[in-house]
């Protein structure tokens, strides 16, 4: 069982250079003994694959990944090229995390028709697997057309694990067939053990969990409620929260002293997670982020 963190964690707003800050935080994570750092992809913010490549090259040895890159509207050949470049840059320490994203959230941003999600996921993963296997690609599906007109491999960029942010039964089925594991966010211990782990026997299961070590849990929880309220309006998250039996996404945030946080994270390992990725650690301050990282590094040692 291993422990990692997701970035940005909430304390980068005042940084004059986001990339410099994320690389510095990656170094801090490695120094704290954490095993991996995973970079979020927002529609109009930093490029997660590029940042992972830079961070993994600057901080050798730590696993870097994306948590997660939405497949819509990115073509799989472009993502495969970027991922292979990141793998070469990090000398084999990169993992590609992808997800379907939310139609209601992403559709208005890009103005491109949102494809049937499960069919799209299957076709997308099929193309990625062929490229990563070094095969020529000549694929024409319902949602993806991909034809490689020349070399599609990057020297040093082979053996890329692919993780999918899958939580629903159909997405989990495709993930079990075509990917190396799943990276669910806000899937609590019950949902994890009852829905996700049984569907992905033998695969890597990285549970992303909000957790903050603090001496002022009430104030931090109020901030978590404010910042995480929109998740309950996204159908995929609403379903997984209902499966856990919680009303608000912030109900799954583990907030408190060292003992409280460690006990809460242990429940995810007990539920079958192979990795736990702790998120939102800097939701209030860099000091609480660093304190949280020091505490959680005891896992995976």
């Amino acid at each position: 069982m291993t422990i990692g963190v997701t970035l940005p964690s909430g304390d980068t707003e005042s940084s004059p250079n986001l990339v410099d800050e994320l690389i510095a935080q990656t170094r801090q994570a490695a120094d704290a003994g954490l095993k991996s750092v995973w970079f979020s992809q927002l529609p109009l913010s930093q490029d997660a694959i590029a940042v992972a490549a830079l961070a993994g090259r600057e901080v050798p040895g730590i696993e870097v990944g994306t948590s997660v890159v939405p497949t819509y509207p990115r073509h799989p050949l472009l993502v495969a090229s970027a991922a292979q470049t990141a793998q070469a840059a990090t000398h084999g320490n990169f993992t590609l995390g992808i997800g379907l994203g939310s139609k209601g959230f992403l559709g208005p941003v890009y103005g491109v028709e949102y494809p049937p999600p499960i069919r799209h996921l299957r076709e997308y993963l099929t193309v990625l697997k062929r490229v990563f296997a070094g095969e020529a690609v000549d694929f024409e599906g319902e949602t993806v057309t991909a034809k490689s007109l020349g070399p599609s491999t990057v020297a040093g960029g082979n053996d890329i694990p692919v993780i999918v942010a899958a939580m629903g039964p159909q997405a989990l089925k495709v993930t079990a067939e075509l990917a190396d594991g799943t990276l669910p966010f806000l899937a609590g211990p019950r949902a994890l053990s009852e829905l996700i782990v049984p569907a992905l026997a033998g695969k890597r299961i990285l549970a992303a969990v909000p957790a903050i070590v603090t001496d002022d849990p009430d104030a931090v929880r109020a901030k978590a409620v404010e910042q995480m309220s929109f998740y309950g309006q996204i159908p995929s998250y609403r379903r997984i929260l209902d499966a856990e039996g919680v009303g608000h996404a912030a109900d799954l945030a583990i907030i408190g002293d060292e003992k409280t946080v460690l006990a809460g994270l242990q429940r995810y390992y007990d539920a079958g997670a192979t990795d736990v990725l702790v998120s939102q650690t800097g939701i209030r301050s860099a000091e609480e982020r660093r304190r949280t990282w020091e505490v959680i590094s005891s896992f995976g040692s």
Side-chain angles (χ1 to χ4, degrees), residues 3-287:
I3 191 87
V5 292
T6 65
L7 295 177
S9 64
D11 62 337
T12 58
E13 292 84 356
S14 61
S15 173
N17 187 302
L18 179 60
V19 174
D20 287 347
E21 177 65 23
L22 293 176
I23 291 173
Q25 290 190 13
T26 300
R27 190 170 287 110
Q28 292 169 14
D31 290 344
L34 298 169
K35 304 302 181 184
S36 62
V37 174
W38 300 74
F39 297 94
S40 301
Q41 178 68 63
L42 299 177
L44 301 175
S45 188
Q46 72 281 348
D47 182 274
I49 297 178
V51 175
L54 292 166
R57 191 167 183 84
E58 289 289 320
V59 188
I62 194 168
E63 180 185 9
V64 292
T66 54
S67 172
V68 292
V69 173
T71 58
Y72 165 90
R74 297 165 179 83
H75 194 280
L77 291 182
L78 294 177
V79 170
S81 177
Q84 289 181 95
T85 303
Q87 183 73 315
T90 63
H91 294 274
N93 286 319
F94 174 75
T95 296
L96 176 63
I98 64 171
L100 289 167
S102 167
K103 178 179 180 179
F105 180 62
L106 294 175
V109 173
Y110 295 111
V112 180
E113 185 178 357
Y114 192 87
I118 303 305
R119 168 57 58 184
H120 185 60
L121 178 61
R122 180 175 292 280
E123 294 180 357
Y124 206 98
L125 288 170
T126 298
V127 172
L128 287 180
K129 283 178 67 70
R130 291 183 185 177
V131 175
F132 292 161
E135 300 174 5
V137 179
D138 186 357
F139 182 87
E140 189 161 351
E142 295 179 20
T143 72
V144 173
T145 296
K147 300 177 186 292
S148 52
L149 301 179
S152 58
T153 57
V154 176
N158 56 317
D159 299 327
I160 300 175
V162 179
I163 305 296
V164 180
M167 295 187 290
Q170 294 183 74
L172 286 168
K173 180 180 179 181
V174 175
T175 298
E177 294 176 18
L178 297 173
D180 299 291
T182 187
L183 199 168
F185 178 52
L186 298 180
R190 187 170 83 184
L192 201 68
S193 64
E194 294 180 1
L195 302 177
I196 294 174
V197 172
L200 290 173
K203 301 282 185 173
R204 193 176 182 189
I205 299 173
L206 303 98
V209 185
I212 305 97
V213 176
T214 179
D215 294 325
D216 192 355
D218 291 340
V220 174
R221 186 164 299 281
K223 199 168 188 67
V225 169
E226 175 188 349
Q227 294 192 9
M228 299 176 70
S229 61
F230 73 95
Y231 285 107
Q233 303 168 28
I234 299 174
S236 59
Y237 286 108
R238 184 68 265 162
R239 286 191 293 270
I240 205 69
L241 292 172
D242 290 343
E244 187 65 23
V246 299
H248 196 288
D251 294 340
L252 289 173
I254 308 169
I255 300 169
D257 60 16
E258 288 84 350
K259 184 177 179 180
T260 297
V261 169
L262 291 177
L265 295 179
Q266 184 62 51
R267 293 181 62 215
Y268 286 83
Y269 290 115
D270 293 343
T274 60
D275 306 65
V276 168
L277 309 182
V278 180
S279 70
Q280 273 90 352
T281 54
I283 194 171
R284 191 171 72 153
S285 70
E287 179 183 353

